[in-house]
């Protein structure tokens, strides 16, 4: 779908300030569509004066739509719809004319000039499906009167309002609760939904006749309501703002739109919404997140305890093979503990795996027999990974790195075929293992490349009996749904490749 900015750039002479004004209008025009019981279409005049481009469309939630299809991006030449031409040329609301027929539906069209900086920069067409029109109730009359005030404000350049915008994603709509107050802040009319909201706060009787600010003060404890300036501005209808307040059992969002159809303040539209259930669910989610993080923290502690017990047992065993097996188990448990430690500090259930990978590289480099003589570095970024991927991948990376260190280099010799790396201790030489990472679309490619002595003659992955490689292969192919390759690296050494799908 073509965007407003694209249409402006391609077909009009509107500047950045004009576009910002139209975007502010579109941010609030759902309210106008609902109050009008009508579809709204934003028409931009073509820079050559040839006609109008449809740059925005909003359907009402309070009435049947007048448009079956979207019209954004369509062009109407001059003369095809005279009401658009008149609103642009004369700078006034135009309501004359007979209903149009669309798909066997009679539609009444009214046009509203959008004024900014003393100029008419666009026209809003208000399209009412007349099949949905009936004898209006007091609620509907109040809606229509408020819509008329807002459209006159648009034509005069007094709406939309600049300055502070709503921070609430769940800002109230017309159907949530509609209150009309006069210039003194007294309630002239309140919809049944608005009455219900205030009765939950503790109101007995009708809202009409009450000053909304004073009533709110009497129903809401001072510690649970906003500062006096905000409360007076919103509930008194003096500023285009919103606020949230609550009692012990009810949470409420209120939003105020002052009405100045002729430039003078005549009252305001105040929309209210009961968000008690939403806030309760928010608290439940926060509690759930905290519980999940606490579980990860406890799992990490338990895994560290298991690793400590295994390490203690390894010290008491004299058989070299058994001691080595227990040390490998300690590293495997430790790699899982690192993932849970990271998850215990995260708000979301995915993690920055670069941090985990760097810690695993450091752990492997420090605890093997080649400590201080083999350098492990990372190239590229894993980015964020879901926890169900991070845990098995951490074990895979640990096993592959340990294999590279233990089988690629000889701990009993000084690697005389290597050149000293800058910063190495004098007389001691080192090898390098590189973890190469690349995200390609929905695939993650990881290669662990060492410059060691390479694979034994006749080695095949299928014929290997190494427990670590068996674990790696099972995790990569069965749990991660990926592929594992193992072969010689360019220039000598070994390359272990891991290719797996990621979201």
């Amino acid at each position: 779908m073509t965007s407003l900015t694209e249409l402006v750039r391609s077909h009009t002479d509107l500047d950045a300030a004009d576009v910002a004004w139209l975007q502010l209008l579109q941010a609030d025009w759902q309210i106008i569509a609902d109050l009008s019981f009508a579809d709204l279409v934003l028409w931009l005049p073509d820079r050559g004066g040839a006609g109008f481009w449809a740059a925005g469309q909003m359907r009402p939630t309070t009435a049947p739509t007048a448009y079956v299809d979207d019209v954004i991006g369509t062009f109407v030449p001059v003369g095809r719809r005279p009401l658009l031409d008149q609103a642009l040329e004369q700078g006034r609301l135009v309501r004359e004319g007979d209903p149009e027929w669309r798909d066997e539906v009679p539609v009444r069209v009214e046009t509203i000039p959008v004024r900014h900086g003393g100029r008419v920069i666009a026209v809003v067409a208000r399209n009412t499906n007349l099949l949905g029109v009936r004898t209006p109730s007091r609620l509907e009359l109040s809606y229509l009167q408020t819509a008329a005030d807002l459209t006159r404000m648009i034509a005069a350049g007094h709406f939309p309002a600049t300055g502070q915008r709503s921070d609430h994603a769940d800002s109230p709509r017309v159907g949530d609760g509609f209150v009309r107050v006069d210039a003194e802040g007294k309630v002239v009319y309140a919809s049944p939904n608005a009455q219900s909201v205030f009765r939950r706060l503790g109101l007995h009787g009708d809202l009409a006749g009450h000053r909304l600010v004073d009533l709110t003060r009497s129903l809401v404890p001072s510690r649970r309501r906003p500062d006096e300036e905000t409360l007076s501005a919103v509930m008194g209808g003096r500023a285009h703002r919103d606020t949230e307040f609550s009692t012990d059992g009810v949470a409420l969002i209120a939003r105020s739109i002052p009405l100045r159809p002729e430039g003078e303040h005549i009252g305001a539209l105040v929309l209210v919404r009961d968000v008690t259930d939403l806030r309760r669910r928010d608290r439940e989610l926060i509690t759930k997140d905290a519980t999940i993080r606490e579980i990860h923290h406890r799992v990490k502690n338990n895994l560290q305890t298991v690793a400590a017990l295994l390490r203690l047992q390894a010290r008491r065993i004299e058989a070299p093979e058994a001691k080595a097996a227990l040390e490998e188990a300690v590293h495997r448990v430790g790699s899982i503990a690192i993932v849970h430690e990271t998850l215990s500090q995260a708000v979301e259930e995915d993690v920055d795996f670069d941090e985990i990978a760097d810690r695993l590289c450091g752990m492997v480099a420090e605890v093997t027999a080649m400590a201080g003589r083999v350098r492990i570095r990372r190239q590229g970024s894993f980015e964020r990974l879901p926890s169900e991927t991070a845990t098995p991948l951490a074990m895979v990376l640990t096993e592959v790195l340990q294999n590279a260190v233990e089988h690629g280099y000889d701990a009993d010799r000084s690697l005389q075929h290597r050149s000293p790396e800058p910063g190495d201790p004098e007389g001691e030489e080192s090898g390098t293992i590189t973890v190469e990472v690349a995200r390609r679309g929905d695939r993650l490619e990881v290669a662990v490349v060492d410059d060691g002595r390479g694979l034994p003659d006749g080695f095949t992955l299928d014929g290997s009996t190494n427990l670590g490689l068996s674990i790696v292969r099972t995790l990569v192919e069965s749990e991660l749904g990926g592929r594992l390759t193992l072969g010689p690296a360019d220039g000598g050494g070994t390359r272990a490749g891991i290719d797996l799908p990621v979201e």
Side-chain angles (χ1 to χ4, degrees), residues 155-180:
H158 303 318
F159 188 87
T162 57
Q164 181 177 349
R165 308 301 298 167
S166 171
D167 293 327
H168 294 286
D170 43 16
S171 185
R173 294 188 175 189
V174 170
D176 295 320
F178 168 94
V179 181
R180 177 73 185 252

Short mmCIF file of all heavy atoms in Angstrom, two decimals, residues 155-180:
data_model
loop_
_atom_site.label_atom_id
_atom_site.label_comp_id
_atom_site.label_asym_id
_atom_site.label_seq_id
_atom_site.Cartn_x
_atom_site.Cartn_y
_atom_site.Cartn_z
N ALA A 155 -11.14 22.70 9.71
CA ALA A 155 -11.25 23.69 8.66
C ALA A 155 -10.64 25.03 9.05
O ALA A 155 -10.16 25.78 8.20
CB ALA A 155 -12.73 23.88 8.28
N ALA A 156 -10.62 25.31 10.37
CA ALA A 156 -10.07 26.57 10.84
C ALA A 156 -8.59 26.48 11.18
O ALA A 156 -7.96 27.50 11.49
CB ALA A 156 -10.85 27.05 12.07
N GLY A 157 -8.04 25.26 11.17
CA GLY A 157 -6.63 25.08 11.50
C GLY A 157 -6.36 24.91 12.98
O GLY A 157 -5.21 25.03 13.41
N HIS A 158 -7.41 24.63 13.78
CA HIS A 158 -7.25 24.46 15.23
C HIS A 158 -7.11 22.99 15.64
O HIS A 158 -6.94 22.70 16.83
CB HIS A 158 -8.45 25.06 15.97
CG HIS A 158 -8.68 26.51 15.69
ND1 HIS A 158 -7.64 27.42 15.61
CD2 HIS A 158 -9.81 27.22 15.45
CE1 HIS A 158 -8.13 28.62 15.34
NE2 HIS A 158 -9.45 28.53 15.23
N PHE A 159 -7.20 22.09 14.70
CA PHE A 159 -7.08 20.65 15.00
C PHE A 159 -6.37 20.01 13.81
O PHE A 159 -6.62 20.37 12.66
CB PHE A 159 -8.47 20.02 15.18
CG PHE A 159 -8.43 18.59 15.66
CD1 PHE A 159 -8.38 18.30 17.01
CD2 PHE A 159 -8.43 17.53 14.76
CE1 PHE A 159 -8.33 16.99 17.46
CE2 PHE A 159 -8.38 16.22 15.20
CZ PHE A 159 -8.34 15.95 16.54
N PRO A 160 -5.42 19.10 14.06
CA PRO A 160 -5.06 18.45 15.33
C PRO A 160 -4.25 19.37 16.23
O PRO A 160 -3.78 20.42 15.81
CB PRO A 160 -4.24 17.26 14.87
CG PRO A 160 -3.61 17.72 13.60
CD PRO A 160 -4.63 18.57 12.93
N ALA A 161 -4.08 18.90 17.49
CA ALA A 161 -3.31 19.67 18.46
C ALA A 161 -1.85 19.25 18.40
O ALA A 161 -1.53 18.07 18.23
CB ALA A 161 -3.87 19.43 19.86
N THR A 162 -0.97 20.22 18.54
CA THR A 162 0.46 19.92 18.61
C THR A 162 0.86 19.73 20.07
O THR A 162 0.05 19.90 20.98
CB THR A 162 1.27 21.06 17.99
OG1 THR A 162 0.96 22.28 18.68
CG2 THR A 162 0.95 21.22 16.52
N GLY A 163 2.12 19.41 20.28
CA GLY A 163 2.62 19.26 21.65
C GLY A 163 2.54 17.82 22.11
O GLY A 163 2.71 16.88 21.33
N GLN A 164 2.26 17.63 23.40
CA GLN A 164 2.32 16.31 24.02
C GLN A 164 1.34 15.36 23.38
O GLN A 164 0.19 15.67 23.15
CB GLN A 164 2.03 16.43 25.52
CG GLN A 164 2.10 15.10 26.25
CD GLN A 164 1.87 15.26 27.75
OE1 GLN A 164 1.88 16.37 28.26
NE2 GLN A 164 1.67 14.17 28.44
N ARG A 165 1.83 14.17 23.07
CA ARG A 165 0.99 13.14 22.50
C ARG A 165 0.78 12.03 23.52
O ARG A 165 1.49 11.92 24.52
CB ARG A 165 1.62 12.53 21.24
CG ARG A 165 2.05 13.56 20.21
CD ARG A 165 0.89 14.41 19.74
NE ARG A 165 -0.14 13.64 19.09
CZ ARG A 165 -1.34 14.08 18.80
NH1 ARG A 165 -1.68 15.31 19.14
NH2 ARG A 165 -2.21 13.32 18.19
N SER A 166 -0.17 11.16 23.23
CA SER A 166 -0.48 10.05 24.14
C SER A 166 0.66 9.06 24.20
O SER A 166 1.25 8.70 23.19
CB SER A 166 -1.75 9.34 23.67
OG SER A 166 -1.94 8.15 24.41
N ASP A 167 1.00 8.64 25.43
CA ASP A 167 2.00 7.59 25.62
C ASP A 167 1.36 6.22 25.78
O ASP A 167 2.05 5.22 25.93
CB ASP A 167 2.85 7.89 26.87
CG ASP A 167 3.71 9.13 26.69
OD1 ASP A 167 4.14 9.37 25.55
OD2 ASP A 167 3.95 9.83 27.69
N HIS A 168 0.03 6.18 25.79
CA HIS A 168 -0.67 4.93 26.07
C HIS A 168 -1.04 4.21 24.77
O HIS A 168 -1.74 4.76 23.93
CB HIS A 168 -1.95 5.19 26.88
CG HIS A 168 -1.70 5.72 28.25
ND1 HIS A 168 -1.23 4.93 29.28
CD2 HIS A 168 -1.83 6.97 28.77
CE1 HIS A 168 -1.11 5.66 30.38
NE2 HIS A 168 -1.46 6.90 30.08
N ALA A 169 -0.55 2.98 24.63
CA ALA A 169 -0.94 2.18 23.46
C ALA A 169 -2.41 1.79 23.56
O ALA A 169 -3.05 1.49 22.55
CB ALA A 169 -0.06 0.93 23.38
N ASP A 170 -2.95 1.77 24.79
CA ASP A 170 -4.35 1.41 25.01
C ASP A 170 -5.20 2.66 25.30
O ASP A 170 -6.08 2.65 26.14
CB ASP A 170 -4.48 0.39 26.15
CG ASP A 170 -3.59 0.73 27.34
OD1 ASP A 170 -3.12 1.89 27.40
OD2 ASP A 170 -3.37 -0.14 28.19
N SER A 171 -4.91 3.75 24.60
CA SER A 171 -5.66 4.99 24.77
C SER A 171 -7.13 4.77 24.46
O SER A 171 -7.47 4.00 23.56
CB SER A 171 -5.08 6.06 23.83
OG SER A 171 -5.70 7.30 24.05
N PRO A 172 -8.04 5.42 25.19
CA PRO A 172 -9.48 5.13 25.00
C PRO A 172 -10.00 5.56 23.64
O PRO A 172 -9.53 6.52 23.04
CB PRO A 172 -10.14 5.93 26.13
CG PRO A 172 -9.15 6.98 26.51
CD PRO A 172 -7.80 6.39 26.27
N ARG A 173 -11.01 4.83 23.19
CA ARG A 173 -11.73 5.18 21.97
C ARG A 173 -13.13 5.66 22.33
O ARG A 173 -13.56 5.58 23.48
CB ARG A 173 -11.81 3.97 21.04
CG ARG A 173 -10.45 3.53 20.49
CD ARG A 173 -10.63 2.48 19.43
NE ARG A 173 -9.36 2.11 18.80
CZ ARG A 173 -9.25 1.33 17.74
NH1 ARG A 173 -10.34 0.82 17.18
NH2 ARG A 173 -8.06 1.05 17.23
N VAL A 174 -13.84 6.10 21.30
CA VAL A 174 -15.16 6.68 21.53
C VAL A 174 -16.09 5.69 22.23
O VAL A 174 -16.83 6.05 23.16
CB VAL A 174 -15.77 7.15 20.19
CG1 VAL A 174 -17.23 7.54 20.37
CG2 VAL A 174 -14.97 8.31 19.62
N GLY A 175 -16.07 4.44 21.79
CA GLY A 175 -16.99 3.46 22.35
C GLY A 175 -16.67 3.04 23.77
O GLY A 175 -17.51 2.44 24.45
N ASP A 176 -15.45 3.34 24.26
CA ASP A 176 -15.09 2.94 25.62
C ASP A 176 -15.81 3.78 26.66
O ASP A 176 -16.16 3.28 27.73
CB ASP A 176 -13.57 3.08 25.83
CG ASP A 176 -12.79 2.13 24.95
OD1 ASP A 176 -13.23 0.97 24.79
OD2 ASP A 176 -11.73 2.52 24.42
N GLY A 177 -15.98 5.03 26.39
CA GLY A 177 -16.65 5.92 27.34
C GLY A 177 -16.53 7.35 26.86
O GLY A 177 -15.44 7.90 26.74
N PHE A 178 -17.67 7.98 26.55
CA PHE A 178 -17.73 9.33 25.96
C PHE A 178 -18.33 10.29 26.97
O PHE A 178 -19.43 10.06 27.50
CB PHE A 178 -18.57 9.27 24.69
CG PHE A 178 -18.95 10.61 24.11
CD1 PHE A 178 -18.18 11.18 23.11
CD2 PHE A 178 -20.09 11.28 24.54
CE1 PHE A 178 -18.54 12.41 22.55
CE2 PHE A 178 -20.46 12.50 23.99
CZ PHE A 178 -19.68 13.07 23.00
N VAL A 179 -17.60 11.39 27.26
CA VAL A 179 -18.11 12.43 28.16
C VAL A 179 -17.94 13.77 27.46
O VAL A 179 -16.85 14.10 26.98
CB VAL A 179 -17.36 12.43 29.50
CG1 VAL A 179 -17.93 13.52 30.42
CG2 VAL A 179 -17.44 11.07 30.18
N ARG A 180 -19.03 14.57 27.43
CA ARG A 180 -18.96 15.92 26.88
C ARG A 180 -19.09 16.89 28.05
O ARG A 180 -20.05 16.82 28.83
CB ARG A 180 -20.09 16.14 25.86
CG ARG A 180 -20.18 17.53 25.27
CD ARG A 180 -19.09 17.81 24.28
NE ARG A 180 -19.16 19.21 23.82
CZ ARG A 180 -19.56 19.56 22.60
NH1 ARG A 180 -19.91 18.63 21.71
NH2 ARG A 180 -19.58 20.83 22.25
#
